[in-house]
Amino acid sequence: MAQFCMFRGQLRTLIGKAVNTNSSVSGYRMMSSSSKILPAARLDGVDQNVWLEFTALAAEHKACNLGQGFPDFSPPSFITKELAKIPTQSQHLINQYTRAFGHGPLVENLSKLFSPLYGVEIDPLKDILISIGGYGALFSCFQAFIQAGDEVIIIEPYFDCYEPMVKYSGGTCRFIPLRPREDRTPTTSADWSLDKDELRKMFNKNTKAIVINTPNNPLGKVFGREELQMIADLCVEFDCLCISDEVYEWLTFDDSSHVRIASLPGMWDRTLTVGSAGKTFSITGWKLGWTIGPSHLMKHVQTVHQNSIYACATPLQEAVSRAVAHEISVFGSEESYFKTLPRVLASKRDRMWDILKETGLRPIMPQGGYFMIADASALDVRMDDDAGSDDLPWDHRFVRWLIINKKSGYNPNLCFLFARTQTYSRKIRTLLLLQGGCNDRTNGGNLPRMGVLQIIEMNRQTFYFGPTASIHVDVTSLVN
């Protein structure tokens, strides 16, 4: 496994070097031999990517990179077996283009699954679009509706693609944080919430849309019905769009339940909901997602799709269609993958909680999703010059220091990824840990394997990164 990870890191280094050679917009302009061949202005400010920087650095120092949020266990056998059957058991046209906006059987089954959950009759041909992952779905939504002069409200912390996608479209981002409770130390993601008055002040005549993510990446917060109703009321009052990223909709724990904002009164007609086969069935490499919404909105999202992606892979859509059909047949029962996956991840979450508590950190118990946050303000790290200039944010330098210094010979015990999120009002250094990619046991069964360790420093430009355990894990090794 370590050798595979090192190979993958080396490959990413080569890719990173190739991209970094031409990654700077200003660099493009300086190196161009023609005054006419310049990059589009929409790339200004979004061309730099810390994922590339730190992936390359991790590979250079042979730190195994397992940072991305994907499971390292097998998908359910019913979906992989169906995919294996398709090329030989289906008629030959299954290998050709399918319907541009989504393979017929897949959109039909998604309609059957989600219509009762939304409380509306979803038209499979007009109200659903299949895309290249949730990422592709989000891109089409922003491109379809956001333009110069539009403001888009984004709730922090947030998935890092929202901001550049809004900027690509010509819009302006307005950020509002989820704030921790002030009357006590937060212990669960439910202790973080939107301030009602602060949220209302974000809306104005230029507000075109608000982006919500529930369960939230990376906090793990599952928005309750009351919170979503507050957002819905403002959307209706200010006549704006809601783009709801719900890719972790089936990953809720304990007594938390997922509420779809499009199911609230008055919201179906103004909501675009993004889902993911990758997160639903643990098949992130298949890159299939969808957007669900009313036809008067979806026709514009489909226009973007037909002029960019056009169609997604037919055999993969067929296999996902059969998996959705399977889930419909067992929906609500203990056999459903929608129930077994959260149980598996909840046990990993609970082990992680115990590990972090034992090290003196203060973890925040997530209600859903892949991630866990823990307060790491007690970490006392003395970094050397290798960590970079003192002008860099603390977290940026800390990640560099970890990559360069905290590994153990042939089997590096820390793996890294680096991604950026936004500014918080409180100065708290926190660790985030990925649940989804954790094996049950490593090191001969003697030590639980940790997931992705990520860091945030609040009250500055925020970053989060991921060192994760490959074989041996010792959280205390993070502190000198």
Side-chain angles (χ1 to χ4, degrees):
M1 183 64 175
Q3 290 177 340
F4 166 74
C5 294
M6 292 171 65
F7 170 77
R8 183 172 68 177
Q10 291 166 355
L11 179 61
R12 287 182 174 175
T13 299
L14 294 175
I15 297 173
K17 288 179 178 178
V19 174
N20 284 335
T21 301
N22 295 311
S23 64
S24 171
V25 170
S26 58
Y28 276 137
R29 289 174 175 160
M30 291 174 61
M31 295 171 62
S32 175
S33 60
S34 170
S35 60
K36 292 176 62 179
I37 306 176
L38 299 175
R42 61 180 172 272
L43 296 184
D44 287 338
V46 298
D47 56 311
Q48 299 299 321
N49 189 305
V50 291
W51 295 67
L52 294 176
E53 174 187 352
F54 283 87
T55 295
L57 186 65
E60 178 185 349
H61 291 276
K62 296 182 172 58
C64 182
N65 189 340
L66 291 177
Q68 281 184 293
F70 59 83
D72 66 354
F73 47 79
S74 297
S77 60
F78 62 79
I79 193 169
T80 52
K81 287 179 179 177
E82 290 299 333
L83 181 62
K85 296 176 185 176
I86 288 169
T88 56
Q89 295 185 4
S90 300
Q91 50 115 344
H92 68 90
L93 288 178
I94 199 69
N95 298 297
Q96 309 308 321
Y97 295 125
T98 187
R99 177 176 171 271
F101 301 143
H103 189 51
L106 177 54
V107 295
E108 287 281 354
N109 285 330
L110 288 174
S111 173
K112 292 176 184 177
L113 174 64
F114 285 111
S115 288
L117 301 176
Y118 283 93
V120 297
E121 191 63 36
I122 297 173
D123 187 322
L125 301 183
K126 295 181 179 180
D127 298 344
I128 301 176
L129 171 66
I130 306 302
S131 60
I132 299 182
Y135 219 90
L138 288 164
F139 182 81
S140 293
C141 290
F142 288 120
Q143 286 291 312
F145 289 98
I146 306 306
Q147 60 187 346
D150 292 338
E151 293 184 0
V152 178
I153 299 170
I154 298 175
I155 299 170
E156 301 172 319
Y158 62 87
F159 185 46
D160 69 315
C161 76
Y162 301 158
E163 182 179 4
M165 286 187 183
V166 170
K167 291 181 176 179
Y168 286 151
S169 304
T172 300
C173 300
R174 300 197 68 199
F175 302 102
I176 180 170
L178 289 164
R179 298 188 181 280
R181 295 181 58 145
E182 295 183 353
D183 59 336
R184 68 168 187 249
T185 301
T187 59
T188 170
S189 57
D191 291 332
W192 301 67
S193 61
L194 291 169
D195 181 276
K196 183 176 182 179
D197 294 333
E198 186 179 14
L199 178 62
R200 183 175 183 81
K201 291 177 182 177
M202 299 295 293
F203 285 80
N204 59 61
K205 62 183 178 61
N206 296 319
T207 304
K208 187 66 166 289
I210 183 171
V211 183
I212 65 172
N213 178 207
T214 180
N216 175 269
N217 173 7
L219 182 60
K221 177 181 174 61
V222 176
F223 283 77
R225 184 175 296 274
E226 184 177 343
E227 294 172 296
L228 293 174
Q229 188 63 62
M230 175 179 68
I231 295 171
D233 290 343
L234 290 168
C235 287
V236 172
E237 179 181 347
F238 287 87
D239 190 23
C240 68
L241 178 69
C242 178
I243 299 174
S244 186
D245 183 349
E246 302 182 17
V247 298
Y248 297 103
E249 61 189 321
W250 303 108
L251 294 176
T252 59
F253 310 127
D254 306 323
D255 58 353
S256 297
S257 59
H258 179 67
V259 177
R260 295 167 176 83
I261 194 169
S263 69
L264 300 183
M267 287 304 291
W268 168 255
D269 286 337
R270 61 178 66 253
T271 302
L272 296 170
T273 303
V274 172
S276 166
K279 298 300 191 296
T280 297
F281 294 112
S282 303
I283 48 170
T284 59
W286 292 24
K287 288 299 292 181
L288 281 180
W290 49 78
T291 308
I292 298 176
S295 59
H296 69 273
L297 298 179
M298 289 301 302
K299 65 182 181 180
H300 304 299
V301 183
Q302 290 172 343
T303 297
V304 175
H305 177 86
Q306 75 186 24
N307 290 295
S308 54
I309 304 304
Y310 186 73
C312 300
T314 308
L316 296 181
Q317 291 190 72
E318 175 65 22
V320 172
S321 171
R322 298 180 187 183
V324 174
H326 169 81
E327 284 302 305
I328 292 172
S329 71
V330 297
F331 190 80
S333 74
E334 295 306 309
E335 299 175 51
S336 172
Y337 193 66
F338 297 166
K339 286 198 170 185
T340 59
L341 180 59
R343 283 201 300 267
V344 169
L345 296 187
S347 67
K348 298 174 187 295
R349 177 200 62 168
D350 294 344
R351 285 203 306 276
M352 187 66 70
W353 170 274
D354 292 338
I355 292 170
L356 293 178
K357 291 281 285 186
E358 289 172 5
T359 65
L361 300 176
R362 293 189 292 272
I364 305 298
M365 184 69 81
Q367 300 163 281
Y370 277 171
F371 299 90
M372 178 180 289
I373 290 178
D375 183 356
S377 57
L379 288 179
D380 180 19
V381 177
R382 295 177 294 278
M383 293 175 280
D384 52 30
D385 293 340
D386 289 341
S389 167
D390 290 340
D391 295 334
L392 292 171
W394 178 89
D395 43 2
H396 194 115
R397 298 182 66 240
F398 185 44
V399 176
R400 292 185 57 86
W401 175 80
L402 283 170
I403 292 174
I404 295 170
N405 295 284
K406 293 297 179 179
K407 53 187 183 291
S408 57
Y410 181 74
N411 292 319
N413 68 345
L414 293 174
C415 315
F416 300 88
L417 183 67
F418 203 82
R420 190 172 74 181
T421 180
Q422 290 297 311
T423 305
Y424 281 91
S425 59
R426 293 179 56 199
K427 183 179 174 64
I428 302 177
R429 292 171 183 173
T430 61
L431 295 170
L432 287 75
L433 298 110
L434 178 68
Q435 304 281 337
C438 306
N439 284 325
D440 286 340
R441 293 280 171 178
T442 57
N443 192 25
N446 296 321
L447 188 66
R449 178 184 176 188
M450 291 176 61
V452 173
L453 206 62
Q454 300 186 310
I455 224 163
I456 288 179
E457 183 184 18
M458 302 183 182
N459 200 34
R460 340 172 68 158
Q461 184 65 43
T462 306
F463 293 85
Y464 62 90
F465 77 97
T468 183
S470 56
I471 296 181
H472 299 284
V473 179
D474 181 4
V475 175
T476 59
S477 70
L478 298 179
V479 185
N480 283 340

